[in-house]
Coordinates of all heavy atoms in Angstrom, one line a residue:
V1116 N -2.7 -14.4 72.9 CA -2.4 -14.3 71.4 C -2.7 -12.9 71.0 O -3.7 -12.4 71.3 CB -3.4 -15.3 70.6 CG1 -3.2 -15.2 69.2 CG2 -3.1 -16.8 71.1
V1117 N -1.8 -12.4 70.2 CA -1.9 -11.1 69.7 C -2.5 -11.1 68.3 O -2.2 -12.0 67.4 CB -0.5 -10.4 69.5 CG1 -0.6 -9.1 68.8 CG2 0.2 -10.3 70.8
E1118 N -3.6 -10.3 68.1 CA -4.3 -10.3 66.8 C -3.8 -9.1 66.1 O -3.8 -8.0 66.6 CB -5.8 -10.2 67.1 CG -6.4 -11.5 67.7 CD -7.9 -11.3 67.8 OE1 -8.5 -10.8 66.9 OE2 -8.4 -11.7 68.9
R1119 N -3.4 -9.3 64.8 CA -2.9 -8.2 64.0 C -4.1 -7.7 63.2 O -4.3 -8.2 62.0 CB -1.7 -8.7 63.2 CG -0.6 -9.1 64.2 CD 0.7 -9.5 63.4 NE 1.6 -9.9 64.4 CZ 2.8 -10.0 64.2 NH1 3.3 -9.7 62.9 NH2 3.7 -10.4 65.0
K1120 N -4.6 -6.7 63.6 CA -5.8 -6.0 62.9 C -5.4 -4.7 62.3 O -6.1 -4.2 61.4 CB -7.0 -5.9 63.8 CG -7.5 -7.2 64.2 CD -8.8 -7.0 65.0 CE -9.3 -8.4 65.5 NZ -10.4 -8.3 66.4
T1121 N -4.2 -4.1 62.6 CA -3.9 -2.8 62.1 C -2.7 -3.0 61.1 O -1.8 -3.8 61.4 CB -3.4 -1.9 63.3 OG1 -4.4 -1.7 64.2 CG2 -2.9 -0.6 62.8
K1122 N -2.9 -2.3 60.0 CA -1.9 -2.3 59.0 C -1.4 -0.9 58.7 O -2.2 0.0 58.8 CB -2.4 -2.9 57.6 CG -2.8 -4.3 57.7 CD -3.3 -4.8 56.4 CE -3.8 -6.2 56.4 NZ -4.3 -6.7 55.1
V1123 N -0.1 -0.7 58.6 CA 0.5 0.5 58.3 C 1.0 0.5 56.8 O 1.8 -0.4 56.6 CB 1.6 0.9 59.2 CG1 2.2 2.3 58.9 CG2 1.1 1.0 60.7
M1124 N 0.5 1.5 56.1 CA 0.9 1.4 54.7 C 1.5 2.9 54.3 O 1.3 3.7 55.1 CB -0.3 1.0 53.8 CG -0.8 -0.3 54.1 SD -2.5 -0.6 53.7 CE -2.5 -0.6 52.0
F1125 N 2.1 2.9 53.1 CA 2.6 4.3 52.8 C 2.2 4.7 51.3 O 2.2 3.8 50.4 CB 4.1 4.1 52.8 CG 4.7 3.7 54.1 CD1 5.0 2.4 54.4 CD2 4.7 4.6 55.2 CE1 5.5 2.0 55.6 CE2 5.2 4.3 56.4 CZ 5.5 2.9 56.6
L1126 N 1.9 5.9 51.2 CA 1.6 6.5 49.9 C 2.9 7.1 49.5 O 3.5 7.9 50.1 CB 0.5 7.6 50.0 CG 0.1 8.4 48.8 CD1 -0.4 7.5 47.7 CD2 -0.8 9.5 49.2
R1127 N 3.4 6.7 48.2 CA 4.7 7.1 47.7 C 4.5 7.8 46.4 O 3.6 7.5 45.7 CB 5.5 5.9 47.6 CG 5.8 5.1 48.9 CD 6.6 4.0 48.8 NE 6.7 3.2 50.0 CZ 7.7 3.3 50.8 NH1 8.7 4.2 50.6 NH2 7.7 2.6 51.9
L1128 N 5.4 8.7 46.1 CA 5.4 9.3 44.8 C 6.2 8.4 43.8 O 7.2 7.8 44.2 CB 6.1 10.7 44.9 CG 5.5 11.7 45.8 CD1 6.3 13.0 45.9 CD2 4.1 12.1 45.4
K1129 N 5.6 8.5 42.5 CA 6.4 7.7 41.5 C 7.8 8.2 41.3 O 8.7 7.5 41.0 CB 5.6 7.8 40.2 CG 4.4 6.9 40.2 CD 3.8 6.9 38.8 CE 2.5 6.0 38.7 NZ 1.9 6.0 37.4
S1130 N 8.0 9.5 41.5 CA 9.3 10.2 41.3 C 10.2 9.9 42.4 O 11.5 10.1 42.3 CB 9.1 11.6 41.1 OG 8.5 12.2 42.3
A1131 N 9.7 9.4 43.6 CA 10.6 9.1 44.7 C 10.1 7.9 45.5 O 9.6 8.0 46.7 CB 10.7 10.3 45.7
P1132 N 10.0 6.7 44.8 CA 9.4 5.5 45.4 C 10.0 5.0 46.7 O 9.4 4.2 47.5 CB 9.4 4.4 44.3 CG 10.6 4.8 43.5 CD 10.6 6.4 43.5
E1133 N 11.3 5.4 47.0 CA 11.9 5.0 48.2 C 11.5 5.8 49.5 O 11.8 5.4 50.6 CB 13.4 5.0 48.1 CG 14.0 6.4 47.9 CD 13.9 7.1 46.5 OE1 13.4 6.3 45.6 OE2 14.1 8.3 46.4
E1134 N 10.8 6.9 49.2 CA 10.4 7.8 50.3 C 8.9 7.6 50.6 O 8.1 7.6 49.7 CB 10.7 9.3 50.0 CG 12.1 9.6 49.8 CD 12.3 11.0 49.4 OE1 11.5 11.8 49.7 OE2 13.3 11.3 48.7
S1135 N 8.5 7.5 51.9 CA 7.1 7.5 52.2 C 6.6 8.9 52.3 O 7.2 9.8 52.9 CB 6.8 6.7 53.5 OG 7.4 7.5 54.6
H1136 N 5.5 9.3 51.6 CA 5.0 10.5 51.5 C 3.9 10.7 52.5 O 3.8 11.8 53.1 CB 4.5 10.9 50.1 CG 4.3 12.3 49.7 ND1 5.3 13.2 49.8 CD2 3.2 12.9 49.4 CE1 4.7 14.3 49.4 NE2 3.5 14.2 49.2
V1137 N 3.0 9.8 52.6 CA 1.9 9.7 53.5 C 1.9 8.4 54.2 O 2.0 7.4 53.5 CB 0.6 10.1 52.8 CG1 -0.6 9.9 53.8 CG2 0.6 11.4 52.3
T1138 N 1.7 8.4 55.5 CA 1.6 7.1 56.2 C 0.1 6.9 56.5 O -0.6 7.8 57.0 CB 2.3 7.2 57.7 OG1 3.7 7.5 57.4 CG2 2.3 5.9 58.4
V1139 N -0.3 5.7 56.2 CA -1.8 5.4 56.2 C -2.0 4.2 57.3 O -1.3 3.2 57.1 CB -2.3 5.0 54.9 CG1 -3.8 4.7 55.0 CG2 -2.0 6.1 53.9
E1140 N -2.9 4.3 58.2 CA -3.2 3.3 59.1 C -4.5 2.7 58.7 O -5.5 3.4 58.6 CB -3.3 3.8 60.5 CG -3.6 2.7 61.6 CD -3.8 3.2 63.0 OE1 -3.4 4.5 63.2 OE2 -4.2 2.5 63.8
V1141 N -4.5 1.4 58.5 CA -5.9 0.6 58.2 C -6.1 -0.3 59.3 O -5.3 -1.1 59.7 CB -5.7 -0.2 56.9 CG1 -7.0 -1.0 56.6 CG2 -5.3 0.7 55.7
Y1142 N -7.3 -0.1 59.9 CA -7.7 -0.9 61.1 C -9.0 -1.6 60.6 O -10.0 -0.9 60.3 CB -7.9 -0.1 62.3 CG -8.4 -0.8 63.5 CD1 -7.6 -1.7 64.1 CD2 -9.7 -0.7 64.0 CE1 -8.1 -2.4 65.2 CE2 -10.3 -1.5 65.0 CZ -9.4 -2.3 65.7 OH -9.8 -3.0 66.8
K1143 N -9.0 -2.9 60.8 CA -10.1 -3.8 60.3 C -10.4 -3.4 58.8 O -9.6 -3.6 58.0 CB -11.3 -3.7 61.2 CG -11.0 -4.3 62.5 CD -12.3 -4.2 63.4 CE -11.9 -4.8 64.8 NZ -13.1 -4.8 65.7
N1144 N -11.6 -2.8 58.6 CA -11.9 -2.5 57.2 C -12.1 -1.0 56.9 O -12.9 -0.5 56.2 CB -13.2 -3.2 56.8 CG -13.1 -4.7 56.7 OD1 -12.1 -5.2 56.2 ND2 -14.1 -5.4 57.1
A1145 N -11.2 -0.2 57.6 CA -11.3 1.3 57.5 C -9.9 1.9 57.5 O -9.0 1.5 58.2 CB -12.1 1.8 58.6
I1146 N -9.8 3.0 56.7 CA -8.5 3.8 56.8 C -8.9 4.8 58.0 O -9.9 5.6 57.9 CB -8.3 4.6 55.5 CG1 -8.0 3.6 54.4 CG2 -7.2 5.6 55.7 CD1 -7.9 4.3 53.1
V1147 N -8.1 4.6 59.1 CA -8.5 5.4 60.3 C -7.6 6.6 60.5 O -7.9 7.5 61.3 CB -8.5 4.5 61.5 CG1 -9.6 3.5 61.4 CG2 -7.2 3.8 61.7
Q1148 N -6.4 6.6 59.8 CA -5.5 7.7 60.0 C -4.6 7.8 58.8 O -4.2 6.8 58.3 CB -4.7 7.4 61.3 CG -3.7 8.6 61.7 CD -3.0 8.3 63.0 OE1 -3.5 7.6 63.8 NE2 -1.9 8.9 63.2
A1149 N -4.3 9.1 58.5 CA -3.3 9.4 57.4 C -2.6 10.6 57.7 O -3.3 11.6 58.0 CB -4.1 9.4 56.1
E1150 N -1.3 10.6 57.7 CA -0.5 11.8 58.0 C 0.7 11.9 57.0 O 1.2 10.9 56.7 CB 0.1 11.7 59.4 CG -0.9 11.8 60.4 CD -0.3 11.8 61.9 OE1 0.8 11.4 62.0 OE2 -0.9 12.4 62.8
G1151 N 1.0 13.1 56.7 CA 2.1 13.4 55.7 C 3.4 13.4 56.5 O 3.3 13.4 57.8
N1152 N 4.5 13.7 55.8 CA 5.8 13.8 56.5 C 5.6 14.9 57.5 O 5.1 15.9 57.3 CB 6.8 14.2 55.5 CG 7.1 13.1 54.4 OD1 6.7 12.0 54.7 ND2 7.7 13.4 53.3
G1153 N 6.3 14.7 58.7 CA 6.3 15.7 59.7 C 4.9 15.8 60.4 O 4.7 16.9 61.0
R1154 N 4.2 14.8 60.4 CA 2.8 14.8 61.0 C 1.9 15.8 60.5 O 0.9 16.3 61.1 CB 2.9 14.8 62.5 CG 3.7 13.7 63.1 CD 3.8 13.7 64.6 NE 2.5 13.6 65.2 CZ 1.8 12.4 65.5 NH1 2.4 11.4 65.2 NH2 0.6 12.4 66.0
R1155 N 2.1 16.2 59.2 CA 1.2 17.2 58.6 C -0.1 16.6 58.1 O -0.1 15.3 57.9 CB 1.9 18.0 57.4 CG 2.2 17.1 56.2 CD 2.7 17.7 55.0 NE 3.1 16.8 54.0 CZ 2.2 16.1 53.3 NH1 0.9 16.3 53.4 NH2 2.7 15.3 52.4
K1156 N -1.1 17.4 57.9 CA -2.4 16.8 57.3 C -2.2 16.6 55.9 O -1.3 17.2 55.2 CB -3.5 17.9 57.6 CG -3.8 18.1 59.0 CD -4.9 19.1 59.1 CE -5.1 19.4 60.6 NZ -6.1 20.5 60.8
V1157 N -3.0 15.6 55.4 CA -2.9 15.3 54.0 C -3.4 16.4 53.1 O -4.3 17.2 53.5 CB -3.7 14.0 53.6 CG1 -3.1 12.8 54.3 CG2 -5.1 14.1 54.0
T1158 N -2.9 16.5 52.0 CA -3.4 17.6 51.0 C -4.7 17.1 50.3 O -4.9 15.9 50.3 CB -2.3 17.9 49.9 OG1 -2.1 16.8 49.1 CG2 -1.0 18.3 50.6
P1159 N -5.4 18.1 49.6 CA -6.5 17.6 48.9 C -6.1 16.6 47.8 O -6.9 15.6 47.5 CB -7.0 18.8 48.2 CG -6.6 19.9 49.2 CD -5.3 19.5 49.7
I1160 N -5.0 16.7 47.1 CA -4.6 15.7 46.1 C -4.3 14.3 46.8 O -4.8 13.3 46.2 CB -3.4 16.2 45.3 CG1 -3.7 17.4 44.6 CG2 -2.8 15.1 44.5 CD1 -2.6 18.2 43.9
E1161 N -3.6 14.4 47.9 CA -3.4 13.1 48.6 C -4.7 12.5 49.0 O -4.9 11.2 48.9 CB -2.4 13.3 49.8 CG -1.1 13.7 49.4 CD -0.3 14.3 50.5 OE1 -0.9 14.8 51.5 OE2 0.9 14.5 50.4
Y1162 N -5.6 13.3 49.5 CA -6.8 12.7 49.9 C -7.6 12.1 48.8 O -8.3 11.0 49.0 CB -7.7 13.9 50.5 CG -9.1 13.5 51.1 CD1 -9.1 12.8 52.3 CD2 -10.2 13.6 50.4 CE1 -10.3 12.4 52.9 CE2 -11.4 13.2 50.9 CZ -11.5 12.6 52.2 OH -12.6 12.1 52.7
K1163 N -7.5 12.7 47.6 CA -8.2 12.1 46.4 C -7.7 10.7 46.2 O -8.5 9.8 45.8 CB -7.9 12.9 45.2 CG -8.6 12.5 43.9 CD -8.1 13.3 42.7 CE -6.9 12.9 42.1 NZ -6.6 13.6 40.9
Y1164 N -6.4 10.5 46.3 CA -5.9 9.1 46.2 C -6.3 8.1 47.3 O -6.6 7.0 47.0 CB -4.3 9.1 46.1 CG -3.9 9.7 44.7 CD1 -3.4 10.9 44.6 CD2 -3.9 8.8 43.6 CE1 -3.0 11.4 43.4 CE2 -3.5 9.4 42.3 CZ -3.1 10.7 42.2 OH -2.7 11.1 41.0
L1165 N -6.5 8.6 48.4 CA -7.0 7.8 49.6 C -8.4 7.4 49.3 O -8.8 6.3 49.6 CB -6.9 8.5 50.9 CG -5.6 8.8 51.5 CD1 -5.7 9.7 52.7 CD2 -4.8 7.6 51.8
V1166 N -9.2 8.3 48.7 CA -10.6 8.0 48.4 C -10.6 6.9 47.3 O -11.4 5.9 47.5 CB -11.4 9.2 47.9 CG1 -12.7 8.8 47.2 CG2 -11.5 10.2 49.0
K1167 N -9.8 7.0 46.3 CA -9.7 6.0 45.2 C -9.3 4.6 45.9 O -9.9 3.6 45.5 CB -8.8 6.4 44.1 CG -9.4 7.5 43.2 CD -8.3 7.8 42.1 CE -8.8 8.9 41.2 NZ -7.9 9.2 40.1
Y1168 N -8.3 4.6 46.6 CA -7.8 3.4 47.2 C -8.9 2.7 48.1 O -9.1 1.5 48.0 CB -6.5 3.7 48.0 CG -5.9 2.4 48.6 CD1 -5.2 1.6 47.8 CD2 -6.2 2.0 49.9 CE1 -4.6 0.4 48.4 CE2 -5.7 0.9 50.5 CZ -4.9 0.1 49.7 OH -4.4 -1.1 50.2
A1169 N -9.6 3.6 49.0 CA -10.5 3.0 49.8 C -11.7 2.4 49.0 O -12.3 1.3 49.3 CB -11.2 4.1 50.7
Q1170 N -12.1 3.0 47.9 CA -13.1 2.5 47.0 C -12.7 1.2 46.4 O -13.4 0.2 46.4 CB -13.5 3.5 46.0 CG -14.3 4.7 46.5 CD -14.5 5.8 45.4 OE1 -13.9 5.8 44.4 NE2 -15.4 6.7 45.8
R1171 N -11.5 1.2 45.9 CA -11.0 0.0 45.2 C -10.8 -1.2 46.1 O -11.1 -2.4 45.7 CB -9.6 0.3 44.5 CG -9.1 -0.8 43.6 CD -7.9 -0.3 42.9 NE -6.8 0.2 43.8 CZ -6.0 1.3 43.7 NH1 -6.2 2.0 42.5 NH2 -5.2 1.5 44.5
K1172 N -10.5 -1.0 47.4 CA -10.3 -2.0 48.3 C -11.5 -2.2 49.3 O -11.5 -3.0 50.2 CB -9.1 -1.7 49.2 CG -7.8 -1.7 48.5 CD -7.4 -3.0 47.9 CE -6.1 -3.0 47.2 NZ -5.7 -4.3 46.7
Q1173 N -12.6 -1.5 49.0 CA -13.8 -1.6 49.8 C -13.6 -1.3 51.2 O -14.0 -2.1 52.1 CB -14.5 -3.0 49.5 CG -14.9 -3.1 48.0 CD -15.6 -4.4 47.8 OE1 -15.4 -5.5 48.6 NE2 -16.5 -4.5 46.8
L1174 N -12.9 -0.2 51.5 CA -12.6 0.3 52.8 C -13.4 1.5 53.2 O -13.7 2.3 52.3 CB -11.2 0.6 52.9 CG -10.1 -0.6 52.8 CD1 -8.7 0.0 52.8 CD2 -10.3 -1.6 53.8
E1175 N -13.9 1.6 54.4 CA -14.5 2.9 54.9 C -13.3 3.9 55.1 O -12.2 3.5 55.6 CB -15.1 2.6 56.2 CG -15.7 3.7 56.8 CD -16.4 3.5 58.2 OE1 -16.5 2.3 58.6 OE2 -16.7 4.5 58.9
L1176 N -13.6 5.1 54.7 CA -12.6 6.1 54.9 C -13.0 7.0 56.0 O -14.0 7.8 55.9 CB -12.4 7.0 53.6 CG -11.4 8.0 53.5 CD1 -10.0 7.6 53.9 CD2 -11.4 8.7 52.2
R1177 N -12.3 7.0 57.1 CA -12.6 7.8 58.3 C -11.7 9.0 58.4 O -11.7 9.7 59.5 CB -12.4 6.9 59.5 CG -13.4 5.8 59.6 CD -13.4 5.1 60.9 NE -14.2 3.8 60.8 CZ -14.1 2.9 61.7 NH1 -13.2 3.0 62.7 NH2 -14.8 1.8 61.6
V1178 N -10.9 9.4 57.4 CA -10.0 10.5 57.4 C -10.7 11.5 56.6 O -11.3 11.3 55.5 CB -8.6 10.0 56.7 CG1 -7.7 11.2 56.6 CG2 -8.0 9.0 57.5
H1179 N -10.7 12.7 57.1 CA -11.3 13.8 56.4 C -10.3 15.1 56.4 O -9.4 15.2 57.2 CB -12.5 14.4 57.1 CG -13.5 13.2 57.2 ND1 -14.3 12.8 56.2 CD2 -13.9 12.4 58.3 CE1 -15.1 11.8 56.6 NE2 -14.8 11.5 57.9
I1180 N -10.5 15.8 55.4 CA -9.7 17.1 55.2 C -10.5 18.2 56.0 O -11.6 18.4 55.9 CB -9.5 17.5 53.8 CG1 -8.8 16.5 53.0 CG2 -8.9 18.9 53.7 CD1 -8.6 16.8 51.5
K1181 N -9.7 18.9 56.8 CA -10.4 20.0 57.7 C -10.0 21.3 57.2 O -9.0 21.6 56.5 CB -10.0 19.8 59.2 CG -10.4 18.6 59.7 CD -10.1 18.4 61.1 CE -10.6 17.1 61.7 NZ -10.2 16.8 63.0

């Protein structure tokens, strides 16, 4: 039996809702990966939204800006 514990979600801009801006991987109760278009690192502004989302959904945030 395959257990589905990983979710892939997308951060989208209101101005372009049909395009995924950042791909977010949620495993169990944590955001474990987030990458922008072209496998780029998330920007500080995108990171801010990830922090808010994690708090709202009670998720651990394992993604950091370097």
Side-chain angles (χ1 to χ4, degrees):
V1116 176
V1117 175
E1118 293 184 41
R1119 296 183 182 199
K1120 295 182 181 177
T1121 300
K1122 294 181 184 178
V1123 177
M1124 301 158 65
F1125 304 98
L1126 176 63
R1127 299 175 187 269
L1128 299 175
K1129 285 184 179 182
S1130 60
E1133 66 284 346
E1134 298 177 24
S1135 65
H1136 195 64
V1137 174
T1138 303
V1139 180
E1140 180 183 350
V1141 179
Y1142 179 71
K1143 294 186 180 178
N1144 292 320
I1146 296 174
V1147 296
Q1148 185 173 335
E1150 292 183 337
N1152 295 344
R1154 299 186 60 89
R1155 66 171 173 75
K1156 294 179 181 177
V1157 295
T1158 67
I1160 293 171
E1161 294 164 345
Y1162 185 77
K1163 180 181 89 171
Y1164 286 101
L1165 291 174
V1166 169
K1167 286 183 181 181
Y1168 182 80
Q1170 290 172 343
R1171 191 172 53 221
K1172 298 295 183 177
Q1173 298 180 333
L1174 298 172
E1175 179 184 351
L1176 182 59
R1177 296 184 190 166
V1178 175
H1179 303 283
I1180 296 178
K1181 294 180 182 177

